[in-house]
Amino acid sequence: QVQLVESGGGLVQAGGSLRLSCAASGSIFSINAMGWYRQAPGKQRELVAHVVYGGTTNYVDSVKGRFTISRDSAKDTVHLQMNSLKDEDTAVYYCYSRVARGGLYWGRGTQVTVSS
């Protein structure tokens, strides 16, 4: 079906930046949207950013103006540029894809840790 591999996570100081990448393979022709969600310890999973192919982008309020989701169609990859990182951004970040007639697929996640 669709396989997703995230990269780019790591440890960064508050105020710094990271760029997460998610490479899709498999039945990529069926993907119509991709995005990122995150889960911090003791908190529920939270949608961070979402992009509809050829359409709109959406962000959770807490990251608006700081995070940018983008798509590289030639490489079947989406990126999440994260700037001005805060302690509250610490979480495991998961990439997901939506297919037209299938369902949702998730990556294995990448840890982002922001330290003060």
Side-chain angles (χ1 to χ4, degrees):
Q1 297 298 315
V2 176
Q3 295 80 45
L4 303 171
V5 179
E6 302 103 329
S7 62
L11 176 65
V12 65
Q13 292 184 338
S17 299
L18 284 174
R19 189 183 74 160
L20 305 183
S21 298
C22 177
S25 61
S27 300
I28 56 176
F29 63 89
S30 64
I31 299 174
N32 58 40
M34 294 184 71
W36 296 86
Y37 64 93
R38 65 187 180 186
Q39 188 163 31
K43 296 184 178 180
Q44 295 185 195
R45 186 180 66 182
E46 177 183 51
L47 177 65
V48 178
H50 181 81
V51 58
V52 177
Y53 283 14
T56 60
T57 58
N58 294 95
Y59 302 90
V60 66
D61 286 344
S62 61
V63 309
K64 288 181 178 178
R66 300 189 297 119
F67 290 10
T68 303
I69 187 170
S70 61
R71 176 191 176 216
D72 184 344
S73 59
K75 297 182 178 181
D76 298 309
T77 301
V78 294
H79 305 281
L80 185 67
Q81 179 66 45
M82 306 186 296
N83 298 326
S84 302
L85 284 162
K86 304 176 180 179
D87 293 349
E88 302 82 71
D89 297 318
T90 295
V92 178
Y93 284 71
Y94 299 89
C95 175
Y96 67 88
S97 65
R98 186 182 73 193
V99 297
R101 300 183 65 185
L104 295 173
Y105 296 87
W106 295 265
R108 296 184 182 274
T110 185
Q111 176 72 48
V112 172
T113 302
V114 183
S115 63
S116 300

